[in-house]
């Protein structure tokens, strides 16, 4: 039991935080691709426009995924003074894809990935998302809101 606790503590001590700016340049997640390890934290800062971040399936762009790792930030209005940060703990190194479900943002290329694979890239997802209608998830899940310093 002590070994498990020590390993968990070591993983927490080495976990990284990844800042993702939502809406920084219009319909964008910046960066749109992140390599993250198990235990790392994704921090979504809503810095411009009205957006959300929702996990989806690569094969069904602009639609919330029904199983596996899932999160939805809920819709936020971003600004330089918005202190709401949506934090998600990474529980897998498998590829995760996410999008903005507001309006036609996803169809306009507002998609991104965590640990994308070589054959399922962000560029490919942007192409596949063109012309799709976004499906909205129900509520906030898979993460927590905190206040930025």
């Amino acid at each position: 039991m002590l070994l498990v606790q020590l390993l968990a503590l070591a993983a927490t001590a080495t976990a990284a935080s990844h800042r993702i700016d939502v809406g920084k340049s219009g319909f964008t997640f910046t960066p749109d691709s992140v390599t993250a390890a198990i235990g790392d934290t994704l921090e979504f800062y809503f810095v411009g426009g009205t957006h959300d971040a929702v996990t989806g399936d690569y094969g069904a762009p602009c639609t919330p995924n029904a199983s596996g790792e899932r999160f939805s930030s809920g819709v936020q209005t971003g600004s330089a003074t918005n202190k709401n940060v949506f934090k998600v703990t990474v529980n897998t190194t498998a590829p995760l894809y996410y999008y903005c479900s507001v309006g036609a943002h996803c169809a306009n290329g507002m998609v991104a990935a965590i640990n994308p694979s070589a054959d399922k890239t962000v560029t490919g997802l942007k192409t596949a998302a063109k012309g799709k209608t976004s499906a909205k998830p129900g509520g906030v899940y898979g993460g927590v809101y905190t206040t930025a310093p």
Side-chain angles (χ1 to χ4, degrees):
M1 182 68 168
L2 180 59
L3 178 59
V4 172
Q5 290 173 333
L6 289 173
L7 289 173
L9 181 61
T12 302
T14 60
S17 293
H18 303 276
R19 180 182 174 128
I20 300 166
D21 288 334
V22 182
K24 182 176 183 177
S25 300
F27 300 139
T28 61
F29 294 102
T30 307
D32 66 1
S33 180
V34 171
T35 300
I38 293 173
D40 285 2
T41 302
L42 308 173
E43 298 181 344
F44 292 88
Y45 287 78
F46 294 85
V47 298
T50 300
H51 303 288
D52 63 3
V54 180
T55 48
D57 288 319
Y58 190 90
C62 310
T63 303
N65 60 336
S67 62
E69 293 296 313
R70 301 174 51 207
F71 62 80
S72 171
S73 66
V75 176
Q76 290 281 310
T77 299
S79 71
T81 58
N82 183 348
K83 299 287 186 187
N84 294 330
V85 179
F86 185 63
K87 292 187 177 185
V88 176
T89 301
V90 176
N91 295 311
T92 181
T93 56
L96 293 174
Y97 301 92
Y98 59 97
Y99 68 100
C100 178
S101 74
V102 175
H105 296 189
C106 182
N108 286 316
M110 194 166 182
V111 299
I114 301 124
N115 301 325
S117 64
D119 62 331
K120 294 181 178 176
T121 64
V122 173
T123 301
L125 184 59
K126 286 182 182 190
T127 299
K130 287 185 182 185
K132 301 289 184 194
T133 300
S134 289
K136 296 187 180 304
V140 175
Y141 54 84
V144 297
Y145 271 100
T146 62
T147 303

